[in-house]
Every structure is written in structure tokens, then in C-alpha cells.
Amino acid sequence: MTTYRNFILATCCLAFIATGTAEAQNNKKKGKAPQQEAPAPQVQAPSERDRQISEAMFLDGMKYFMLEDYQQALQLFQKAYTVTPNNAALNYKIGETYLHLREPKSAMPFALAAVNLEKTNAYYYLLLTQLYAEQQQYDAAAQAFNDLLRNVPNSNEYLFNLADLYLSQSRYDDALRTYDRIEKEFGEMEQLLVNRQQIYLRQKNVDKAIAEGEKLLKAYPTEMQYFLSQAELYNAARRTDDAIATLNKALRLDPNNPFAHLMLSDLSRQKGEFTESERQVKLAFASAELDIDTKVRILVDFIRQLPNPQIEEVALELVDLTIEKHPDEAKAYAVAADLQTIVGRKEVARNNYLKAVKLDDSHFKIWQQIVLLDAELEEPAAMVKHAEQALELFPNQAVFWFYSGTGHLIEKNYEKAVKALEYGKRLSIGEPELVLQFNMQLGDGYNSLKDYQKSDAAYEAVLAQDANNEHVLNNYSYFLSLRGENLPRAKQMSEQLIKLHPNNPTYLDTHAWVLYKMGEYTTARKYLEQAVAISDDATIVEHYGDVLFKLGKQEEAVSQWQKAKLKGEASAFIDRKIKEKKLYE
């Protein structure tokens, strides 16, 4: 059996022998015919023995060529060339070998010689066009194709190559003329219509592109993509009604085509028909054929427009449809949750984020959104649970240590809280804003553990970075007053706080309580009266009663204590204070 490689080898050899025989015959007729111009040198006709030697070297060279040992092949071809330089096949093979060696300039004279020696061989022209293209001599490459078409019989199939060459060089008019030649030779073809349309679009000639589109629709009346493309062209030409009519024809072919419904939605919105636009986009989203990524892109556009009451309802319906049609896609739940978060549906959003991470738990930002929503929903146990799940995946992300510690702090698991917060703080070195947040919580945590030295240090670290931090100014000064320690510092901080926030009842109460602890009851009363005028918080009301008692107003004090008790959040001493009409602290 003859192998494919042996077949190639035999073919090349036959070409070499045939060319060699022709060369010998031409040399014999040398005095009877005009000499053809060729780059190959004129040498004395080789003897039969020399031709046999040349043929043998050529055969050996072909073996190396087939083995892709192009350097060795080239050496043998060049030796053969010294004997038979006017052999077209040998010149072609040397040129091709140089091309494989990425030396197109060296290949050129041999490719030209092959063409000049045998003008009816298509492969010689193809090598020449490739060499010109390699050297970015595109005009010469196009000329070589035209020479091929002129000189080689039955070569019109290469018109496609010529058209592609023109197209790659943006020679659109030449490409169009070549398409006309192809059509004349082979008849109307689908790809020709498509290519012409693309050229007209590149030339910004929308009218001609539309005309080609109409030809496509006439020739291929069941091809949905051509209807969609034609509708886009009509839309680009601001022929909205024609675009809508084309899409309606498309929907008669495929009533559930989501892309046609999407385009109709867009066109209806352009015409101000918003109800119809919403109807069409819902029909599109109701189709599982509309891929999840396209739906997500559209929903992201909705998200960018929120909050907006006019589109909120339809946006929420679309995310529900997305989940319904793609229940196994994490991104369906994630984009739904993104949208629901913005419109304030936090619990639903949190649950959808949780469904997303069940399907794909690799997204840090989704876990971050989950713990943020836990915090906003005031669910510290959930915050701890989800933060610790996230830490199994992202153990070096300080933010999850923060939420774990904060959740434990709220849950009064103070040891666990400070442990998590200290670890997260160490991970936050180089991020001063995050370190500040950790120190704020550590101040509260250590205070609850009665480790006042560490608590004060954490608060002071915050104030060194942010002197007006209201959380620390309030808590630090209040805790100092409860301890009865460093009261001048507490007073300085609480004064600073109410200057910044003069109408905050909690801060007014803190300042008043510091004054109370310092024995400045009259001034404390003034601030507590301001506070109770704004708020009926039980602690503030009870403090007001304590100050009144210190000022000798026993009945008024008992009245305030009674009000505080009704709120149900007063101190553990409230019942004794009322019953015994005495102050207990």
C-alpha cells in the first residue's frame, strides 16, 4: 500500500522529472525560439548523469522535508539546484523550504523563478502570494492571485482567496468587484450576500446593507438570524416601524424566540410604549433559551437605574423569572439578591445570596454581602454563623473576623469576640481604616471583660486616628463615668461629643451622667431635660429621676422612675427606688 507520505514524495518527484525533461527539450530548441526571461541563470544543459544525480539529491531532500528537517532538506535542494537551476519544481521546493524556515525574502527569487518557468501551476502562485503577504506586500499578493486566475485554467475557485485578501486589507471596493466575479461564475451564494452586507456596514452604507439583508430574507425565508439582523439594521437606520414589522414576521416563525422579544422590548421603549416594552421583556425572560449571562447583563442595567419606583416592580419580576428558569445557576440568585438589596428587601436578598453560595461558594463578595445583611437585619447569631462559614474559605480575610467578633460581642460571648477581633486586627496591618474599626469593637469587648487597661488603649488608638469618632467618644466617656475613673477626660470627651451632635439624646445623656458623677447636678439636669424632651428612652428618664433626687426633688424623681419602669428597660434598682423612694446605684 502506498502511504500518504510516499504519495506526496512520488508526486514531487514526478513534477521534478517532468520539469527536468521539459528543461532538456527547451535547451535543445534553444536556437529556434526566443529565450524566456527568468531569474534562474542560463547554464549548459545537464547531461543525463547530472540530471540523475540532481534527481537523487532532490529525492533525498524531500525525505528530510517530510521529516520537517528543513535545514538538511535545503542543503540537498541547493545541491540539486547547482545542476538543474531551471527546474520549476525544484525552485518551488526551495522557496517553500525557506518559508518554513521563516526566511520569506530568501524564498522570493525561487518562487518567482518557479512561476516564470511554469506559468500554469496554481501552487507556485499560491506560494508567491503567501510570501508577499508574509512581507506585507499585499498589492503584489493580489497581483499574484490575478496572474494565477489569468494563467491557470479552471482556477476560478481562487477568487475566494483573492476576495479574502482584499477584505483583510479593507480594500472593500475590490472585494465587492471580486464577489461580483464569483457570483457570475458560481451563481448567488449565501456567504456572498452576508459578506457584502458586512462590507456595506463597514462603509457605513446602511441602505445598501439593508438591501442585501432583504435579498437574504427572500433567499432564506426561514433563517431566524437574518430576520433579527435585518431588524437591527432597520433600527440603526431609525426605521423603527420596519424593524418591528420584521420582528413580528420572525415571531411567526418562532413565537418564543427570546431575542426577538428583547428587541421588541427595546423598540417599544424607544416609542414610549412602556407597558408593551415590559410585556416583551418578560416574555424574553420567561424563555430558558435566553442564556443566563444575557439575563444578568440586562438585570445589571436595571440595577444601575435603581432606586426608581417606575421600574422596581418589573425588575423584581425579572429576577424571579431568572431564578425560575435557571434554578441551578448561582449567578441567578446573586443578581436577584443584588437587586433586592437595593430596593430594601433585605431578608429575601440574604436568603438568595445563601442559595447562591450553596451552588458556588467561591465568591468573596457574596459572602461579604451575606454578613452585611445579617448585621443590617440585626441577627448577630446568623452573622457569627455565616462569617465563620466564610472564614473556612477565606481565612485571611479580616472582614469576616470583624463580623464574627462583632456578632459574638452582641451575643455577649466576650472572650470569643476579642479573640476574633484581635486576630482580624493583626491581618489588617496596612489598612488603617479597618484597624480603627477593630479597635472600636475591642474597646467595647475588653470593657465588658473588665480588662479596662486594654479597653482604654483600644479607644485611645481610635481617637488618635479619628479624634471625633462619636462611637468611642460616647462609649469611652460613659464607661469611665460608670467606673468613676479619669472623670475630667470623660467630661472633655462628652463635651466634645455634644458640640458635634447637640440634638442626640443618647449623647446628651452621656454628658449629663459624667457631670452627675462629678457632682455637677444642676448642669446635668439641664442636659437631661434636653434629652427627655427628645427621647423617652428608659435609661435617660431614669437618669433624669436620679439627678432630680440629688437636687432634693424626691417626688419628681419618683415620678420619673415610674415612667422609666413603664418602658420596661430601666435598671435593676428601679423597683427599690420607687418603693423606698431612695436612690440606689
Side-chain angles (χ1 to χ4, degrees), residues 489-502:
R489 172 71 167 138
K491 182 179 180 182
Q492 175 266 314
M493 288 189 290
S494 61
E495 280 181 340
Q496 181 179 343
L497 185 63
I498 62 170
K499 284 179 182 176
L500 294 168
H501 307 280

Side-chain angles (χ1 to χ4, degrees), residues 261-531:
H261 286 300
L262 275 182
M263 291 179 67
L264 279 172
S265 174
D266 185 51
L267 292 166
S268 299
R269 187 171 63 255
Q270 289 178 35
K271 294 184 72 176
E273 298 171 357
F274 299 111
T275 301
E276 177 63 12
S277 176
E278 289 181 8
R279 188 180 77 85
Q280 291 292 343
V281 75
K282 288 176 193 175
L283 287 171
F285 270 66
S287 170
E289 292 179 26
L290 186 62
D291 62 281
I292 182 65
D293 290 328
T294 298
K295 287 177 179 175
V296 168
R297 283 196 297 273
I298 293 167
L299 289 170
V300 168
D301 285 337
F302 274 94
I303 288 170
R304 289 186 182 126
Q305 299 174 60
L306 293 173
N308 181 346
Q310 292 182 338
I311 64 168
E312 183 176 309
E313 184 178 346
V314 67
L316 288 167
E317 287 185 52
L318 294 180
V319 296
D320 288 342
L321 284 169
T322 302
I323 290 172
E324 179 186 331
K325 295 301 175 181
H326 306 276
D328 298 323
E329 287 280 359
K331 60 184 73 174
Y333 296 98
V335 74
D338 288 344
L339 194 148
Q340 290 157 347
T341 299
I342 293 172
V343 301
R345 300 195 178 187
K346 295 179 181 179
E347 189 166 358
V348 176
R350 194 261 310 272
N351 292 339
N352 276 325
Y353 280 133
L354 288 169
K355 290 175 183 176
V357 294
K358 279 186 179 179
L359 293 167
D360 179 1
D361 64 6
S362 65
H363 295 280
F364 165 80
K365 289 185 177 179
I366 295 179
W367 283 105
Q368 189 175 30
Q369 285 296 105
I370 290 169
V371 292
L372 279 170
L373 286 170
D374 288 335
E376 291 179 18
L377 291 166
E378 298 181 358
E379 296 183 18
M383 186 161 59
V384 170
K385 176 185 174 182
H386 298 142
E388 291 181 354
Q389 287 176 341
L391 284 169
E392 292 178 11
L393 300 163
F394 309 100
N396 294 322
Q397 288 293 338
V399 67
F400 296 126
W401 290 104
F402 177 82
Y403 282 105
S404 173
T406 300
H408 280 305
L409 189 62
I410 297 168
E411 292 279 281
K412 300 183 179 180
N413 299 320
Y414 301 123
E415 292 284 357
K416 290 182 179 180
V418 297
K419 185 177 179 181
L421 292 166
E422 287 286 9
Y423 191 87
K425 179 181 169 182
R426 287 196 294 275
L427 291 174
S428 305
I429 299 302
E431 298 181 65
E433 288 300 319
L434 194 51
V435 170
L436 183 146
Q437 296 297 321
F438 277 106
N439 279 325
M440 280 173 53
Q441 303 296 68
L442 282 167
D444 294 348
Y446 280 124
N447 181 77
S448 297
L449 288 170
K450 295 183 170 51
D451 191 339
Y452 301 128
Q453 184 176 358
K454 288 184 178 178
S455 174
D456 292 355
Y459 285 144
E460 291 290 355
V462 173
L463 294 174
Q465 190 176 339
D466 177 11
N468 292 323
N469 187 286
E470 57 185 290
H471 175 89
V472 171
L473 289 173
N474 181 68
N475 285 18
Y476 190 15
S477 58
Y478 187 67
F479 292 148
L480 284 175
S481 71
L482 292 179
R483 286 152 47 191
E485 294 178 7
N486 204 356
L487 293 177
R489 172 71 167 138
K491 182 179 180 182
Q492 175 266 314
M493 288 189 290
S494 61
E495 280 181 340
Q496 181 179 343
L497 185 63
I498 62 170
K499 284 179 182 176
L500 294 168
H501 307 280
N503 297 314
N504 185 302
T506 299
Y507 299 162
L508 289 166
D509 174 65
T510 295
H511 183 53
W513 197 246
V514 172
L515 294 171
Y516 173 88
K517 286 288 189 174
M518 297 179 77
E520 299 179 22
Y521 305 122
T522 302
T523 311
R525 176 182 179 179
K526 181 183 74 170
Y527 287 107
L528 281 167
E529 285 176 345
Q530 292 178 40

Side-chain angles (χ1 to χ4, degrees), residues 99-133:
L99 178 61
H100 280 293
L101 291 169
R102 298 182 180 178
E103 297 183 38
K105 287 185 179 179
S106 299
M108 282 301 304
F110 298 98
L112 286 166
V115 167
N116 285 327
L117 288 164
E118 190 176 334
K119 295 185 181 297
T120 57
N121 189 312
Y123 294 104
Y124 298 172
Y125 289 100
L126 292 175
L127 174 61
L128 190 57
T129 59
Q130 188 174 356
L131 290 170
Y132 280 131

